[in-house]
Amino acid sequence: MTSIHAFRDDALGEHDAVALAELIRAGKVSRQELAAAAIERARLVDPQLNAVISPIYDAPRYGTRPGAALDGVPTFVKDNTDVAGLPTGHGSEAFRARPAAKDGAYTEHLRGTGLTLIGKSRLPEFGFNASTEYMTESPARNPWNLDHSIGASSGGSAALVASGVVPIAHANDGGGSIRIPAACGGLVGLKPSRGRHIDGEQVKHLPLHIISEGVLTRTVRDTAAFVAAAEDHWRNPALPPIGQVHGPARRRLRVGLVLRSVTGAEVDAPTRAAVEHTAALLEKAGHLVEPIALPVTEQFAADFVQYWALLADLAISTGKLILDRSFDAARADGLSRGLRAHHRQAPHRTPGALRRLRRVPAAYARMFARHEVVVSPVLSHTTPPLGHLSPTVPFPELIERLTHYVGYTPLNNIAGTPAISLPMGRTDDGLPVGVHMSAAYGDERTLIELAYLLEAENPFPRIQD
C-alpha cells in the first residue's frame, strides 16, 4: 500500500487546530509561520494527491476577526464556494471559470472564525459523484492509499486534512459530501442541521434545500471548536444553541442500530465490524442499543436519484446563464450527462418524487420519538480503488455502483438533520472505515458528546504511525 503524509517537525507539527490557535494566543507562533508551514506541506504532497485546484500561497487570506477562536489556523475552501479573485470551477471541465468578484457568504463565515485561507480544494463536477474523479484530469487521491478514492464531493479537502497539510478544511454536504470523504480519509465529518450555518449561494437555486456547510477535521475537539466559533460569528435563532462541547455527557441514551440501507445493499465485513464495534462501545458506556429499521423504503432511493437527476439537468441546462458563457454541455462529465438523460426520460416523475421527499422530515422525526441517536454505516463498503466510480464508467453501471455504495447518508440531507462520520475501524490493509451517527433536527450537541466518548475509547487512526 502506497501512502503519503506531510507531517514533519515544523510550526504545525502534529497539532490539531485547537492546539495551534492556543500557540498563537500564547505568542509562541505567528499566523504567518503557520501559513508558511502549511504551504510548504502542500507543495510537498499535492503533486501526488492532486487535491488543490487554486493555491493562494503568495497572499494567504487571514481571518477577519483577530483573536477569534481559530485565529491563524490555515485551511482550504472547497471549489464550489467563491473566494475573491479566484475562479469557482465547481469541479467541471465544461467551462472556464472567471475570478469571483467577492468572497461568498460561507467564505466570510469561515474567515469570521479566524481561519486563514491558503487555497481552494478539488471536488468532482458539481459535487454529484462520491469520488473526486474526472473525465480527463487526474483524480484526487487518498493519502492512506494513493490508488484508492478519497471520496467526494469534499474529496480535495479530505485529502489535505488526512495527509496533514492542514488540520481543518471546508466541506459541504448535499448527499453525504462531508461524511463520505471523512469515512474514506479517517476523519471527523459533521454534517450540521439545515440552517445551522450560513448557507452558500448554491442553495438559492435548489427546489429542495439539501446542502449543509461545515468542515473536515482529524479530532473531535476541532469539530467542536469550529461549531462553537461558527456559532459565535453567526447563530440561527431558530435552532437551539450548541455552545462549546468539551467532552462526553453522562446521560444514558437510547441508540438505534441500523445495518440495512434503503437499497438493501450488502454491507461488507470491515464496515459491519466497525459498526458492531461502535455499538459495543456504546453499550459498554451504559447506553441502550437496539436494532431498528429506517423510516423510509426503497422508494426513497428512487426519489433521491430522480432529484439528483433534476439537479444535473438544471446545472447543464443553465450552465451558460449561471456559470459562464463558455459552458459546453458536451464537455460535462459522464455522470452529469447520464443523470440529465435519466431525468429527461421521465420528467413526469419529478413532482411526485419531490412531494414524497418533502414528507421525509416528519417520518424521520418519528424515528427519534424513542431514540436519541441512530448508528449505521456511512457507506455499504470501504473506499474503492480509483476508477470504480469514475465518470468515464458507462452511466447504467456507474449509477448502480453509486446507489449501492451510498445508501445511508442522503436521508439526513432530505430530512435536514445532523449526522457525523467517525473513523472507527480499519481494513486488513490499513484503510480507514467510517461509522455514521444521526440525531434529531438541531441536536448536534449529542453527536459531538458521543463522538468524544468514542474517540477516547477507540483512538482514531493516525496516518503518520
Side-chain angles (χ1 to χ4, degrees), residues 208 299-300 302-304 306-307 310 343 346-360:
L208 183 61
Q299 182 64 52
F300 171 82
D303 290 341
F304 189 85
Q306 187 71 13
Y307 183 51
L310 168 65
H343 183 255
H348 61 279
R349 294 178 183 163
T350 298
L354 290 174
R355 246 190 338 267
R356 287 186 293 272
L357 291 174
R358 289 191 175 105
R359 295 189 199 119
V360 166

mmCIF file of all heavy atoms in Angstrom, residues 208 299-300 302-304 306-307 310 343 346-360:
data_model
loop_
_atom_site.group_PDB
_atom_site.id
_atom_site.type_symbol
_atom_site.label_atom_id
_atom_site.label_comp_id
_atom_site.label_asym_id
_atom_site.label_seq_id
_atom_site.Cartn_x
_atom_site.Cartn_y
_atom_site.Cartn_z
ATOM 1 N N LEU A 208 -35.323 21.902 -3.541
ATOM 2 C CA LEU A 208 -35.412 21.331 -2.196
ATOM 3 C C LEU A 208 -34.046 21.501 -1.540
ATOM 4 O O LEU A 208 -33.035 21.028 -2.051
ATOM 5 C CB LEU A 208 -35.780 19.843 -2.289
ATOM 6 C CG LEU A 208 -35.998 19.081 -0.988
ATOM 7 C CD1 LEU A 208 -37.149 19.675 -0.203
ATOM 8 C CD2 LEU A 208 -36.268 17.612 -1.288
ATOM 9 N N GLN A 299 -38.385 3.268 -2.195
ATOM 10 C CA GLN A 299 -38.927 4.400 -2.961
ATOM 11 C C GLN A 299 -38.127 5.661 -2.684
ATOM 12 O O GLN A 299 -37.948 6.510 -3.563
ATOM 13 C CB GLN A 299 -40.392 4.617 -2.596
ATOM 14 C CG GLN A 299 -41.063 5.746 -3.380
ATOM 15 C CD GLN A 299 -41.144 5.465 -4.858
ATOM 16 O OE1 GLN A 299 -41.632 4.409 -5.260
ATOM 17 N NE2 GLN A 299 -40.655 6.386 -5.685
ATOM 18 N N PHE A 300 -37.636 5.812 -1.439
ATOM 19 C CA PHE A 300 -36.817 6.977 -1.106
ATOM 20 C C PHE A 300 -35.584 7.038 -1.995
ATOM 21 O O PHE A 300 -35.222 8.110 -2.493
ATOM 22 C CB PHE A 300 -36.391 6.935 0.371
ATOM 23 C CG PHE A 300 -35.367 7.992 0.712
ATOM 24 C CD1 PHE A 300 -35.766 9.283 0.992
ATOM 25 C CD2 PHE A 300 -34.009 7.694 0.729
ATOM 26 C CE1 PHE A 300 -34.828 10.271 1.290
ATOM 27 C CE2 PHE A 300 -33.065 8.668 1.016
ATOM 28 C CZ PHE A 300 -33.479 9.963 1.300
ATOM 29 N N ALA A 302 -35.142 5.784 -5.005
ATOM 30 C CA ALA A 302 -35.548 6.149 -6.365
ATOM 31 C C ALA A 302 -35.878 7.637 -6.454
ATOM 32 O O ALA A 302 -35.518 8.314 -7.430
ATOM 33 C CB ALA A 302 -36.742 5.313 -6.794
ATOM 34 N N ASP A 303 -36.545 8.165 -5.421
ATOM 35 C CA ASP A 303 -36.897 9.585 -5.415
ATOM 36 C C ASP A 303 -35.654 10.466 -5.302
ATOM 37 O O ASP A 303 -35.581 11.527 -5.945
ATOM 38 C CB ASP A 303 -37.856 9.889 -4.266
ATOM 39 C CG ASP A 303 -39.238 9.297 -4.478
ATOM 40 O OD1 ASP A 303 -39.583 8.972 -5.637
ATOM 41 O OD2 ASP A 303 -39.973 9.138 -3.478
ATOM 42 N N PHE A 304 -34.699 10.029 -4.498
ATOM 43 C CA PHE A 304 -33.479 10.822 -4.361
ATOM 44 C C PHE A 304 -32.722 10.851 -5.679
ATOM 45 O O PHE A 304 -32.213 11.897 -6.093
ATOM 46 C CB PHE A 304 -32.586 10.277 -3.241
ATOM 47 C CG PHE A 304 -31.431 11.197 -2.931
ATOM 48 C CD1 PHE A 304 -31.581 12.251 -2.053
ATOM 49 C CD2 PHE A 304 -30.190 11.024 -3.537
ATOM 50 C CE1 PHE A 304 -30.525 13.128 -1.775
ATOM 51 C CE2 PHE A 304 -29.130 11.882 -3.269
ATOM 52 C CZ PHE A 304 -29.308 12.936 -2.388
ATOM 53 N N GLN A 306 -34.026 10.623 -8.624
ATOM 54 C CA GLN A 306 -34.787 11.497 -9.511
ATOM 55 C C GLN A 306 -34.468 12.966 -9.224
ATOM 56 O O GLN A 306 -34.316 13.777 -10.156
ATOM 57 C CB GLN A 306 -36.288 11.244 -9.342
ATOM 58 C CG GLN A 306 -37.177 11.981 -10.330
ATOM 59 C CD GLN A 306 -37.081 11.450 -11.753
ATOM 60 O OE1 GLN A 306 -36.533 10.377 -11.979
ATOM 61 N NE2 GLN A 306 -37.595 12.201 -12.709
ATOM 62 N N TYR A 307 -34.334 13.321 -7.934
ATOM 63 C CA TYR A 307 -33.991 14.702 -7.580
ATOM 64 C C TYR A 307 -32.554 15.019 -7.990
ATOM 65 O O TYR A 307 -32.276 16.103 -8.518
ATOM 66 C CB TYR A 307 -34.197 14.923 -6.080
ATOM 67 C CG TYR A 307 -33.925 16.348 -5.654
ATOM 68 C CD1 TYR A 307 -34.514 17.412 -6.319
ATOM 69 C CD2 TYR A 307 -33.086 16.631 -4.588
ATOM 70 C CE1 TYR A 307 -34.266 18.716 -5.943
ATOM 71 C CE2 TYR A 307 -32.843 17.935 -4.197
ATOM 72 C CZ TYR A 307 -33.430 18.978 -4.882
ATOM 73 O OH TYR A 307 -33.183 20.277 -4.520
ATOM 74 N N LEU A 310 -32.616 15.674 -11.566
ATOM 75 C CA LEU A 310 -33.158 17.006 -11.820
ATOM 76 C C LEU A 310 -32.081 18.069 -11.647
ATOM 77 O O LEU A 310 -31.940 18.983 -12.475
ATOM 78 C CB LEU A 310 -34.331 17.283 -10.877
ATOM 79 C CG LEU A 310 -34.826 18.740 -10.823
ATOM 80 C CD1 LEU A 310 -35.422 19.179 -12.150
ATOM 81 C CD2 LEU A 310 -35.840 18.915 -9.692
ATOM 82 N N HIS A 343 -33.199 12.063 -16.102
ATOM 83 C CA HIS A 343 -34.315 12.943 -15.776
ATOM 84 C C HIS A 343 -35.191 13.199 -16.988
ATOM 85 O O HIS A 343 -36.429 13.185 -16.902
ATOM 86 C CB HIS A 343 -33.800 14.273 -15.216
ATOM 87 C CG HIS A 343 -34.904 15.190 -14.796
ATOM 88 N ND1 HIS A 343 -35.275 16.292 -15.522
ATOM 89 C CD2 HIS A 343 -35.759 15.129 -13.733
ATOM 90 C CE1 HIS A 343 -36.290 16.890 -14.920
ATOM 91 N NE2 HIS A 343 -36.595 16.210 -13.837
ATOM 92 N N ALA A 346 -37.952 10.716 -17.978
ATOM 93 C CA ALA A 346 -39.197 10.625 -17.205
ATOM 94 C C ALA A 346 -39.377 11.846 -16.307
ATOM 95 O O ALA A 346 -39.460 11.732 -15.075
ATOM 96 C CB ALA A 346 -39.204 9.350 -16.368
ATOM 97 N N PRO A 347 -39.451 13.054 -16.887
ATOM 98 C CA PRO A 347 -39.611 14.253 -16.050
ATOM 99 C C PRO A 347 -40.927 14.266 -15.280
ATOM 100 O O PRO A 347 -41.027 14.944 -14.251
ATOM 101 C CB PRO A 347 -39.544 15.408 -17.068
ATOM 102 C CG PRO A 347 -39.943 14.784 -18.370
ATOM 103 C CD PRO A 347 -39.426 13.376 -18.317
ATOM 104 N N HIS A 348 -41.921 13.500 -15.759
ATOM 105 C CA HIS A 348 -43.209 13.471 -15.074
ATOM 106 C C HIS A 348 -43.116 12.857 -13.685
ATOM 107 O O HIS A 348 -44.027 13.026 -12.867
ATOM 108 C CB HIS A 348 -44.223 12.681 -15.918
ATOM 109 C CG HIS A 348 -43.829 11.251 -16.138
ATOM 110 N ND1 HIS A 348 -42.921 10.871 -17.120
ATOM 111 C CD2 HIS A 348 -44.198 10.105 -15.505
ATOM 112 C CE1 HIS A 348 -42.764 9.557 -17.082
ATOM 113 N NE2 HIS A 348 -43.517 9.067 -16.111
ATOM 114 N N ARG A 349 -42.011 12.129 -13.429
ATOM 115 C CA ARG A 349 -41.839 11.522 -12.094
ATOM 116 C C ARG A 349 -41.362 12.530 -11.048
ATOM 117 O O ARG A 349 -41.431 12.259 -9.848
ATOM 118 C CB ARG A 349 -40.834 10.373 -12.172
ATOM 119 C CG ARG A 349 -41.301 9.188 -12.994
ATOM 120 C CD ARG A 349 -40.239 8.134 -13.061
ATOM 121 N NE ARG A 349 -40.644 7.014 -13.908
ATOM 122 C CZ ARG A 349 -39.823 6.107 -14.409
ATOM 123 N NH1 ARG A 349 -38.524 6.197 -14.147
ATOM 124 N NH2 ARG A 349 -40.261 5.125 -15.165
ATOM 125 N N THR A 350 -40.871 13.668 -11.487
ATOM 126 C CA THR A 350 -40.253 14.611 -10.553
ATOM 127 C C THR A 350 -41.235 15.211 -9.546
ATOM 128 O O THR A 350 -40.930 15.248 -8.342
ATOM 129 C CB THR A 350 -39.514 15.721 -11.332
ATOM 130 O OG1 THR A 350 -38.473 15.121 -12.109
ATOM 131 C CG2 THR A 350 -38.901 16.738 -10.388
ATOM 132 N N PRO A 351 -42.416 15.697 -9.953
ATOM 133 C CA PRO A 351 -43.323 16.264 -8.937
ATOM 134 C C PRO A 351 -43.660 15.280 -7.820
ATOM 135 O O PRO A 351 -43.674 15.643 -6.634
ATOM 136 C CB PRO A 351 -44.553 16.660 -9.758
ATOM 137 C CG PRO A 351 -44.028 16.897 -11.134
ATOM 138 C CD PRO A 351 -42.953 15.875 -11.320
ATOM 139 N N GLY A 352 -43.940 14.023 -8.183
ATOM 140 C CA GLY A 352 -44.252 13.028 -7.155
ATOM 141 C C GLY A 352 -43.061 12.754 -6.257
ATOM 142 O O GLY A 352 -43.216 12.600 -5.033
ATOM 143 N N ALA A 353 -41.857 12.689 -6.854
ATOM 144 C CA ALA A 353 -40.652 12.462 -6.054
ATOM 145 C C ALA A 353 -40.454 13.597 -5.056
ATOM 146 O O ALA A 353 -40.158 13.364 -3.878
ATOM 147 C CB ALA A 353 -39.433 12.327 -6.968
ATOM 148 N N LEU A 354 -40.618 14.836 -5.518
ATOM 149 C CA LEU A 354 -40.450 15.980 -4.615
ATOM 150 C C LEU A 354 -41.502 15.972 -3.516
ATOM 151 O O LEU A 354 -41.200 16.288 -2.353
ATOM 152 C CB LEU A 354 -40.513 17.286 -5.407
ATOM 153 C CG LEU A 354 -39.326 17.566 -6.336
ATOM 154 C CD1 LEU A 354 -39.586 18.813 -7.162
ATOM 155 C CD2 LEU A 354 -38.037 17.717 -5.538
ATOM 156 N N ARG A 355 -42.738 15.612 -3.857
ATOM 157 C CA ARG A 355 -43.804 15.535 -2.848
ATOM 158 C C ARG A 355 -43.439 14.532 -1.764
ATOM 159 O O ARG A 355 -43.573 14.809 -0.567
ATOM 160 C CB ARG A 355 -45.115 15.113 -3.536
ATOM 161 C CG ARG A 355 -46.182 16.169 -3.514
ATOM 162 C CD ARG A 355 -47.545 15.706 -3.977
ATOM 163 N NE ARG A 355 -47.594 14.534 -4.815
ATOM 164 C CZ ARG A 355 -47.583 14.552 -6.144
ATOM 165 N NH1 ARG A 355 -47.472 15.696 -6.791
ATOM 166 N NH2 ARG A 355 -47.666 13.427 -6.834
ATOM 167 N N ARG A 356 -42.993 13.340 -2.189
ATOM 168 C CA ARG A 356 -42.640 12.303 -1.206
ATOM 169 C C ARG A 356 -41.414 12.714 -0.392
ATOM 170 O O ARG A 356 -41.359 12.472 0.824
ATOM 171 C CB ARG A 356 -42.414 10.968 -1.917
ATOM 172 C CG ARG A 356 -43.699 10.325 -2.416
ATOM 173 C CD ARG A 356 -43.457 8.947 -2.988
ATOM 174 N NE ARG A 356 -42.667 8.977 -4.211
ATOM 175 C CZ ARG A 356 -43.186 9.115 -5.436
ATOM 176 N NH1 ARG A 356 -44.493 9.249 -5.606
ATOM 177 N NH2 ARG A 356 -42.391 9.110 -6.496
ATOM 178 N N LEU A 357 -40.422 13.323 -1.028
ATOM 179 C CA LEU A 357 -39.220 13.745 -0.292
ATOM 180 C C LEU A 357 -39.560 14.807 0.752
ATOM 181 O O LEU A 357 -38.954 14.835 1.831
ATOM 182 C CB LEU A 357 -38.163 14.265 -1.268
ATOM 183 C CG LEU A 357 -37.512 13.214 -2.178
ATOM 184 C CD1 LEU A 357 -36.588 13.863 -3.194
ATOM 185 C CD2 LEU A 357 -36.734 12.166 -1.358
ATOM 186 N N ARG A 358 -40.529 15.653 0.456
ATOM 187 C CA ARG A 358 -40.905 16.695 1.432
ATOM 188 C C ARG A 358 -41.618 16.111 2.653
ATOM 189 O O ARG A 358 -41.735 16.768 3.683
ATOM 190 C CB ARG A 358 -41.775 17.748 0.757
ATOM 191 C CG ARG A 358 -40.987 18.617 -0.229
ATOM 192 C CD ARG A 358 -41.774 19.834 -0.692
ATOM 193 N NE ARG A 358 -40.924 20.674 -1.535
ATOM 194 C CZ ARG A 358 -41.023 20.759 -2.872
ATOM 195 N NH1 ARG A 358 -41.977 20.055 -3.499
ATOM 196 N NH2 ARG A 358 -40.228 21.538 -3.564
ATOM 197 N N ARG A 359 -42.080 14.863 2.549
ATOM 198 C CA ARG A 359 -42.689 14.214 3.711
ATOM 199 C C ARG A 359 -41.658 13.518 4.597
ATOM 200 O O ARG A 359 -41.988 13.076 5.705
ATOM 201 C CB ARG A 359 -43.704 13.163 3.243
ATOM 202 C CG ARG A 359 -44.907 13.714 2.496
ATOM 203 C CD ARG A 359 -45.935 12.610 2.273
ATOM 204 N NE ARG A 359 -46.863 12.943 1.210
ATOM 205 C CZ ARG A 359 -47.026 12.251 0.095
ATOM 206 N NH1 ARG A 359 -46.317 11.151 -0.108
ATOM 207 N NH2 ARG A 359 -47.901 12.644 -0.817
ATOM 208 N N VAL A 360 -40.439 13.390 4.112
ATOM 209 C CA VAL A 360 -39.413 12.632 4.843
ATOM 210 C C VAL A 360 -39.087 13.224 6.207
ATOM 211 O O VAL A 360 -38.920 12.478 7.182
ATOM 212 C CB VAL A 360 -38.139 12.472 3.975
ATOM 213 C CG1 VAL A 360 -36.943 12.010 4.804
ATOM 214 C CG2 VAL A 360 -38.404 11.486 2.840
#
